[in-house]
Amino acid sequence: MKRFYLLLTILCVISISNLSAKTIQTYLPASSDADKRAQEVIKSVEQQIQILVDELPIESNLQIKYGAKDGPFFDPELMEVHIPYEFVTEVLTRFKKDNYQETGVTPIEATQDAILHTLGHEYGHAFIFANQVVVLGKEEDAADTLATLLLIHSFENGTDIALSAADLFSLEDGDVDEFDDDHFWDEHSLDAQRYFSTLCLIYGSDPDRYADIIPKEQLSIERDLYCEEEYFRQTENWDRLKERYSILPNKS
């Protein structure tokens, strides 16, 4: 009986420790009109960002610092995610330049979507680090997958949010005139690979709705079937993560 109460006490301490862990969003002062605009765009999705971090809690306090000098990146020593205002401005400018409103999504909405995916990605790094999740292969790829699943499982329109983020990878890939060794040595996969990997998960989550996003060449080699299998496999992994680490009710 004593062993039972000892175990119960340990479990309570763990729960209190988890509940006390917080994710704090901090805004550094905006030094220009562009920075102020970027700050406004971030604040417009602040509640959605909170939903993302609540969906898959981590066991350590985390600070998301907007307006940092460098980034986006996760600093494991400081337990901080850094998102520069300049990054948000660059993304917004890129979507405007590409006339993204022709897709039915405004450049500002697309930028909001890209912010959510980027934060999901960096939060994925924080989750992996804080919870000591074993990752075989590129952690950057795992963080991309986690970010996409976070969006799909957190919001009714999560696939559409992820689609805008995928389009940003496509636009960035279009900026590359020639590949050199640095591209292949980079810890990230190529932007084109990140684009198609994200599309694959989006398609797999709802093949009927997104039937047109898989190129015909990929259909001929049954890539569509692979994407459905990949989505279900990763969703099973997602469910295992939720079961093992989440102390919150499953909202997906």
Side-chain angles (χ1 to χ4, degrees):
M1 195 67 175
K2 290 182 179 179
R3 292 179 61 186
F4 170 77
Y5 284 116
L6 177 60
L7 177 59
L8 182 61
T9 301
I10 293 173
L11 289 175
C12 288
V13 171
I14 292 174
S15 296
I16 292 171
S17 174
N18 282 337
L19 286 168
S20 65
K22 297 179 181 178
T23 297
I24 302 172
Q25 301 184 60
T26 302
Y27 294 83
L28 298 181
S31 58
S32 66
D33 290 340
D35 286 354
K36 291 177 182 178
R37 180 57 173 156
Q39 193 178 82
E40 291 174 358
V41 175
I42 296 170
K43 286 184 177 181
S44 68
V45 291
E46 194 174 77
Q47 291 183 342
Q48 290 170 289
I49 293 168
Q50 191 60 53
I51 291 173
L52 283 181
V53 301
D54 286 346
E55 184 74 14
L56 200 62
I58 61 176
E59 297 180 358
S60 302
N61 290 334
L62 176 70
Q63 184 174 38
I64 303 175
K65 188 174 291 186
Y66 304 113
K69 183 177 179 180
D70 298 317
F73 69 81
F74 164 65
D75 187 330
E77 294 184 2
L78 299 177
M79 281 302 294
E80 293 181 349
V81 170
H82 291 189
I83 305 291
Y85 293 138
E86 185 179 0
F87 164 76
V88 178
T89 300
E90 289 176 354
V91 171
L92 179 58
T93 301
R94 192 180 297 272
F95 280 123
K96 285 182 176 179
K97 182 179 178 181
D98 193 60
N99 297 315
Y100 200 76
Q101 65 276 4
E102 295 178 1
T103 67
V105 179
T106 69
I108 289 181
E109 290 171 338
T111 302
Q112 293 170 329
D113 293 345
I115 291 170
L116 289 172
H117 190 276
T118 300
L119 277 166
H121 175 97
E122 300 305 337
Y123 185 80
H125 284 303
F127 177 83
I128 290 168
F129 175 80
N131 294 292
Q132 299 182 340
V133 179
V134 176
V135 176
L136 300 179
K138 283 187 175 183
E139 185 175 315
E140 294 295 341
D141 290 344
D144 272 349
T145 297
L146 184 57
T148 303
L149 291 175
L150 270 171
L151 293 174
I152 291 174
H153 290 274
S154 299
F155 307 107
E156 288 186 7
N157 64 330
T159 48
D160 292 334
I161 296 173
L163 189 57
S164 296
D167 286 340
L168 180 61
F169 291 139
S170 179
L171 294 175
E172 291 175 341
D173 176 66
D175 290 342
V176 180
D177 296 324
E178 184 178 349
F179 291 104
D180 55 34
D181 287 348
D182 289 343
H183 288 95
F184 298 106
W185 279 103
D186 193 82
E187 65 269 25
H188 296 89
S189 294
L190 299 176
D191 287 322
Q193 292 174 305
R194 300 177 76 181
Y195 168 67
F196 285 111
S197 293
T198 306
L199 281 190
C200 192
L201 289 174
I202 293 170
Y203 173 86
S205 70
D206 195 341
D208 293 331
R209 181 179 180 184
Y210 295 102
D212 295 334
I213 69 173
I214 300 292
K216 293 181 179 179
E217 296 80 7
Q218 299 303 314
L219 291 175
S220 65
I221 59 173
E222 298 184 341
R223 181 71 176 179
D224 55 328
L225 296 179
Y226 166 80
C227 289
E228 291 185 57
E229 294 171 357
E230 178 68 0
Y231 173 73
F232 285 118
R233 183 173 71 86
Q234 295 296 358
T235 296
E236 288 178 352
N237 292 337
W238 164 267
D239 290 338
R240 281 193 285 269
L241 283 177
K242 291 279 292 184
E243 182 179 356
R244 180 171 182 178
Y245 296 105
S246 180
I247 59 172
L248 299 175
N250 190 331
K251 301 186 293 262
S252 58

